[in-house]
Amino acid sequence: MPSKALPPGLHPDTLAQRTAVAPSQYGENSEALFLTSGYVQPNAETAARRFAGEEDGYTYGRYGNPTVSSFEQRLAALEGAQASIGTASGMSAILMMCMGLLQAGDHVLCSRSMFGSTIKLIGSDLAKFGVESTFVSQTDLGAWRDAIRPNTRLLFAETPTNPLTEVCDIQALADLAHNAGALFAVDNCFATPSLQRPMALGADIVMHSGTKYLDGQGRVMAGALCASEALVTEKFLPVLKSAGMSLAPFNAWVVLKGLETLDLRMRAQSANAQALATWLESHPAVARVYYPGLASHPQHALALRQMSGVGGALLSFELKAADAQQARRRAFHVLDALQTLSLCTNLGDTKTLAAHPASTSHGRLTEPQRLAAGISQGLVRVSVGLEHVPDMQADLSRGLDTAQGLA
Ligand SMILES: *Cc1c(COP(=O)(O)O)cnc(C)c1O
């Protein structure tokens, strides 16, 4: 579907409001939600050309939808990508990327600090189909270089990572991948195009879970890949057509509208996260705070350079404890004492969400995989929202101020 005609050179703030497919004959100002699985064809010849991919036009809901196209065009504009393809979830975007780019015998190189389900999908599920993988330290460029093999087709990193907010150097990894004849993909869930545009730093593919900050209010599941027109049409669209990880139009409409406020939300939530991280760092029950905006963060300078000077809206902190059992009890105590904030494993909501990664998002990992990713039993993750910061502090204080009295 053709996009709405816009003058060239518009700022991302403008593109976030204006990029979409052309409006219908009714001239709706807010983008329409097209709930239809089929499309009436003007004549049989046109239908044949559309199904053959010789002419633009919608044919069937699994292959495309105008509301989904609006989301894809707007996200691509924000990421500075030629094209984008929507998917049912973030994980289905990763599955689409792997199905489109890899075959048995190929090798994928990833950070070992990736999202738990990503490690499971690439390390275990794809291994059943003969795809090899290696997981290396997120921040050790030498380890990435040493792990490259002649059959390495894809490097995949997430930055900052979940939940330890480790930051990798996008440009350096892109160079490494390209020198090896491989592609480089970045999971940009945490920074979003508002804070970080990996393609401008050399990444070939940007992957999103739209479920997180793109929606921004924790309503729907969605995902997307952004890439060159060639990758999207030649590698990813055929997988969508045959495997059907299609983004539902309603969910596309929600994330499309979410993109309009993305930049405002990311900056306000990052400011709240910075304030909360600074406060947590001085709390006596807290051993360590992981937040890229803190000077104590090991990749602080790189993070600010890569993320337009802001640390993002997600932080984690580690409770002081004598051993793993005590650490787990104290973490559960802090979470169970919450009265305002949500005990919820999602992230990217305007409501502040707190979670225990070791027993939830990273619960399916084996103990060695979990420890390699640095997820201890005393770790609490906070996806910082838009509540008043003193109210967040008061709620966390309930458990933090009494945690050290626990056995
Ligand atoms: C949530 C998440 C995913 C997976 O996305 P879903 O929409 O839940 O499938 C992938 N990567 C990161 C960093 C995430 O936070």
Side-chain angles (χ1 to χ4, degrees):
M1 189 104 160
S3 43
K4 197 165 81 180
L6 290 170
L10 295 176
H11 187 274
D13 288 352
T14 309
L15 297 174
Q17 313 309 317
R18 299 288 167 180
T19 308
V21 301
S24 77
Q25 71 270 33
Y26 301 116
E28 66 279 1
N29 187 51
S30 175
E31 294 76 15
L33 166 52
F34 291 94
L35 287 179
T36 181
S37 44
Y39 301 88
V40 177
Q41 303 299 310
N43 53 60
E45 193 53 50
T46 305
R49 281 200 302 275
R50 287 178 179 175
F51 270 91
E54 293 160 9
E55 180 183 309
D56 274 352
Y58 296 104
T59 53
Y60 182 54
R62 177 160 23 94
Y63 298 2
N65 172 284
T67 310
V68 175
S69 296
S70 282
F71 164 67
E72 292 167 343
Q73 291 178 10
R74 188 170 290 177
L75 182 65
L78 294 183
E79 286 288 0
Q82 285 176 353
S84 157
I85 186 162
T87 57
S89 66
M91 290 319 301
S92 62
I94 300 177
L95 179 62
M96 173 192 275
M97 173 171 76
C98 293
M99 287 180 70
L101 299 179
L102 305 170
Q103 58 185 39
D106 287 347
H107 176 244
V108 191
L109 182 51
C110 297
S111 159
R112 68 181 178 211
S113 313
M114 306 273 305
F115 187 66
S117 298
T118 306
I119 295 179
K120 172 79 169 56
L121 175 66
I122 293 178
S124 308
D125 299 328
L126 289 179
K128 288 197 299 192
F129 300 93
V131 173
E132 301 168 13
S133 57
T134 309
F135 296 86
V136 296
S137 160
Q138 165 91 353
T139 53
D140 182 351
L141 199 59
W144 287 83
R145 189 178 297 112
D146 293 346
I148 288 182
R149 303 179 190 166
N151 59 340
T152 303
R153 298 279 170 268
L154 179 68
L155 273 64
F156 188 24
E158 174 187 318
T159 183
T161 59
N162 172 40
L164 297 182
T165 72
E166 291 174 304
V167 174
C168 67
D169 188 330
I170 293 175
Q171 197 149 23
L173 286 176
D175 289 346
L176 197 64
H178 297 154
N179 287 337
L183 295 176
F184 180 46
V186 174
D187 178 334
N188 203 24
C189 281
F190 281 19
T192 80
S194 155
L195 304 185
Q196 172 175 282
R197 298 174 81 191
M199 301 197 70
L201 299 169
D204 302 287
I205 301 158
V206 170
M207 172 258 144
H208 272 288
S209 165
T211 318
K212 311 296 169 54
Y213 294 103
L214 305 191
D215 170 348
Q217 295 183 56
R219 296 162 293 193
V220 299
M221 303 292 300
L225 296 175
C226 299
S228 66
E229 189 76 51
L231 277 180
V232 169
T233 55
E234 290 161 27
K235 301 293 184 188
F236 304 146
L237 190 57
V239 176
L240 181 79
K241 289 183 171 180
S242 59
M245 56 280 274
S246 317
L247 175 56
F250 176 78
N251 295 5
W253 181 78
V254 171
V255 287
L256 172 73
K257 304 309 280 179
L259 287 176
E260 295 176 4
T261 55
L262 177 68
D263 192 63
L264 277 179
R265 286 186 282 107
M266 288 311 291
R267 288 179 195 281
Q269 290 176 231
S270 294
N272 286 354
Q274 180 77 39
L276 197 65
T278 304
W279 172 77
L280 281 166
E281 206 168 36
S282 66
H283 196 287
V286 174
R288 184 166 172 194
V289 181
Y290 300 86
Y291 182 66
L294 291 176
S296 59
H297 189 281
Q299 297 95 38
H300 177 61
L302 170 64
L304 293 196
R305 177 154 49 81
Q306 237 170 223
M307 296 171 63
S308 51
V310 186
L314 193 120
L315 63 86
S316 291
F317 63 90
E318 185 122 23
L319 290 157
K320 285 182 187 161
D323 55 44
Q325 282 78 21
Q326 190 183 55
R328 185 179 172 101
R329 273 198 302 278
R330 289 182 176 181
F332 280 23
H333 173 74
V334 169
L335 292 169
D336 290 341
L338 296 174
Q339 294 176 8
T340 309
L341 310 183
S342 309
L343 170 52
C344 179
T345 49
N346 191 21
L347 64 96
D349 201 312
T350 47
K351 292 183 168 69
T352 297
L353 317 176
H356 184 248
S359 61
T360 58
S361 57
H362 292 66
R364 284 197 299 164
L365 298 187
T366 63
E367 193 61 20
Q369 277 174 330
R370 185 159 46 238
L371 290 176
I375 316 293
S376 76
Q377 294 294 340
L379 192 75
V380 173
R381 186 189 75 185
V382 185
S383 166
V384 181
L386 290 177
E387 298 93 340
H388 193 47
V389 173
D391 290 340
M392 298 180 194
Q393 292 169 348
D395 210 32
L396 286 164
S397 290
R398 273 181 249 285
L400 283 175
D401 292 351
T402 47
Q404 280 174 301
L406 294 185

